[in-house]
Amino acid sequence: QVQLVESGGGLVQTGGSLRLSCAASGRTFSNYAMGWFRQAPGQEREFVAGISRSGLTTYVTDSVKGRFTISRDNAKSTVALQMNSLKPEDTAVYYCAADGSGSRVGVSTYGYSYDYWGQGTQVTVSS
């Protein structure tokens, strides 16, 4: 199995930037497609960004396209989410997740595809 720990959340002004990081331990990191999800108060968990096992394929949801970038470093067993031009509607708890299938070539936007989850890190964008 995989253990995931997020870091990098905090309070930032509208238009600012944050970089979230997720450190993985356990089974070989490169075997897992990775994703970032977020959940705002009173809302359902939503997909934000995902990256394939190799890192060659990425996908970000429309609401953050052009502002957020996902990347991974398989040598360091980490995945990052660079968030620029932050808006108040980006305020949420952000979760790192690993696709436990170990065989997916691309990226899934469905939460049920991800078997391992971090504890979450709070991102608050002031307005």
Side-chain angles (χ1 to χ4, degrees):
Q1 61 178 324
V2 177
Q3 295 80 47
L4 305 172
V5 180
E6 304 98 331
S7 62
L11 176 65
V12 67
Q13 187 178 351
T14 296
S17 298
L18 285 173
R19 185 177 179 86
L20 305 184
S21 182
C22 175
S25 62
R27 300 188 67 181
T28 303
F29 179 69
S30 62
N31 285 346
Y32 300 96
M34 302 294 296
W36 286 96
F37 291 75
R38 67 186 181 187
Q39 187 166 25
Q43 300 186 27
E44 296 182 350
R45 178 186 60 191
E46 66 171 342
F47 173 84
V48 178
I51 188 165
S52 64
R53 292 180 292 164
S54 66
L56 295 176
T57 300
T58 62
Y59 182 79
V60 298
T61 193
D62 286 345
S63 63
V64 305
K65 188 174 295 183
R67 300 187 297 118
F68 290 12
T69 302
I70 188 171
S71 61
R72 70 188 297 160
D73 186 339
N74 286 344
K76 297 181 179 179
S77 297
T78 58
V79 60
L81 185 68
Q82 179 66 46
M83 306 186 295
N84 299 324
S85 301
L86 283 162
K87 306 174 181 179
E89 53 262 45
D90 296 318
T91 295
V93 177
Y94 283 71
Y95 297 92
C96 175
D99 181 348
S101 72
S103 62
R104 193 179 308 278
V105 175
V107 173
S108 174
T109 63
Y110 302 110
Y112 63 73
S113 295
Y114 297 85
D115 298 296
Y116 307 104
W117 298 80
Q119 83 287 352
T121 185
Q122 177 70 48
V123 171
T124 302
V125 184
S126 64
S127 63

